[in-house]
mmCIF file of all heavy atoms in Angstrom:
data_model
loop_
_atom_site.group_PDB
_atom_site.id
_atom_site.type_symbol
_atom_site.label_atom_id
_atom_site.label_comp_id
_atom_site.label_asym_id
_atom_site.label_seq_id
_atom_site.Cartn_x
_atom_site.Cartn_y
_atom_site.Cartn_z
ATOM 1 N N GLU D 91 165.126 -66.383 268.205
ATOM 2 C CA GLU D 91 166.048 -65.205 268.550
ATOM 3 C C GLU D 91 167.455 -65.522 268.610
ATOM 4 O O GLU D 91 168.278 -64.667 268.197
ATOM 5 C CB GLU D 91 165.545 -64.618 269.906
ATOM 6 C CG GLU D 91 165.491 -65.547 271.092
ATOM 7 C CD GLU D 91 164.117 -66.258 271.248
ATOM 8 O OE1 GLU D 91 163.355 -66.287 270.270
ATOM 9 O OE2 GLU D 91 163.872 -66.763 272.369
ATOM 10 N N HIS D 92 167.895 -66.689 269.053
ATOM 11 C CA HIS D 92 169.360 -66.943 269.157
ATOM 12 C C HIS D 92 169.980 -67.165 267.805
ATOM 13 O O HIS D 92 171.080 -66.693 267.510
ATOM 14 C CB HIS D 92 169.676 -68.157 270.051
ATOM 15 C CG HIS D 92 168.987 -68.004 271.402
ATOM 16 N ND1 HIS D 92 168.722 -69.072 272.264
ATOM 17 C CD2 HIS D 92 168.514 -66.922 272.079
ATOM 18 C CE1 HIS D 92 168.167 -68.661 273.368
ATOM 19 N NE2 HIS D 92 168.004 -67.354 273.281
ATOM 20 N N GLY D 119 171.700 -73.418 274.344
ATOM 21 C CA GLY D 119 171.043 -72.249 274.974
ATOM 22 C C GLY D 119 171.688 -70.917 274.638
ATOM 23 O O GLY D 119 171.197 -69.849 274.997
ATOM 24 N N THR D 202 170.545 -68.993 277.665
ATOM 25 C CA THR D 202 169.204 -68.660 278.200
ATOM 26 C C THR D 202 169.152 -69.117 279.668
ATOM 27 O O THR D 202 169.914 -69.991 280.110
ATOM 28 C CB THR D 202 168.077 -69.313 277.370
ATOM 29 O OG1 THR D 202 166.877 -68.741 277.711
ATOM 30 C CG2 THR D 202 168.041 -70.810 277.578
ATOM 31 N N HIS D 249 172.940 -62.443 278.117
ATOM 32 C CA HIS D 249 171.954 -63.168 277.333
ATOM 33 C C HIS D 249 170.782 -62.318 276.918
ATOM 34 O O HIS D 249 170.257 -62.457 275.826
ATOM 35 C CB HIS D 249 171.425 -64.421 278.056
ATOM 36 C CG HIS D 249 170.585 -65.243 277.165
ATOM 37 N ND1 HIS D 249 171.079 -66.125 276.229
ATOM 38 C CD2 HIS D 249 169.215 -65.276 276.987
ATOM 39 C CE1 HIS D 249 170.076 -66.630 275.505
ATOM 40 N NE2 HIS D 249 168.925 -66.095 275.977
ATOM 41 N N ASP D 253 169.407 -61.783 273.186
ATOM 42 C CA ASP D 253 167.977 -61.835 272.764
ATOM 43 C C ASP D 253 167.575 -60.540 272.038
ATOM 44 O O ASP D 253 166.868 -60.598 271.042
ATOM 45 C CB ASP D 253 167.083 -61.994 273.996
ATOM 46 C CG ASP D 253 167.060 -63.411 274.531
ATOM 47 O OD1 ASP D 253 167.393 -64.354 273.798
ATOM 48 O OD2 ASP D 253 166.610 -63.600 275.659
ATOM 49 N N HIS D 276 161.185 -60.278 275.370
ATOM 50 C CA HIS D 276 160.790 -60.410 273.959
ATOM 51 C C HIS D 276 159.554 -59.566 273.635
ATOM 52 O O HIS D 276 159.475 -58.966 272.537
ATOM 53 C CB HIS D 276 160.508 -61.867 273.667
ATOM 54 C CG HIS D 276 161.747 -62.746 273.790
ATOM 55 N ND1 HIS D 276 162.829 -62.599 273.045
ATOM 56 C CD2 HIS D 276 161.953 -63.764 274.611
ATOM 57 C CE1 HIS D 276 163.747 -63.476 273.394
ATOM 58 N NE2 HIS D 276 163.223 -64.219 274.358
HETATM 59 ZN ZN1 ZN A 401 167.263 -66.115 274.805
#
Side-chain angles (χ1 to χ4, degrees):
E91 56 269 19
H92 306 159
T202 194
H249 187 80
D253 281 343
H276 296 299

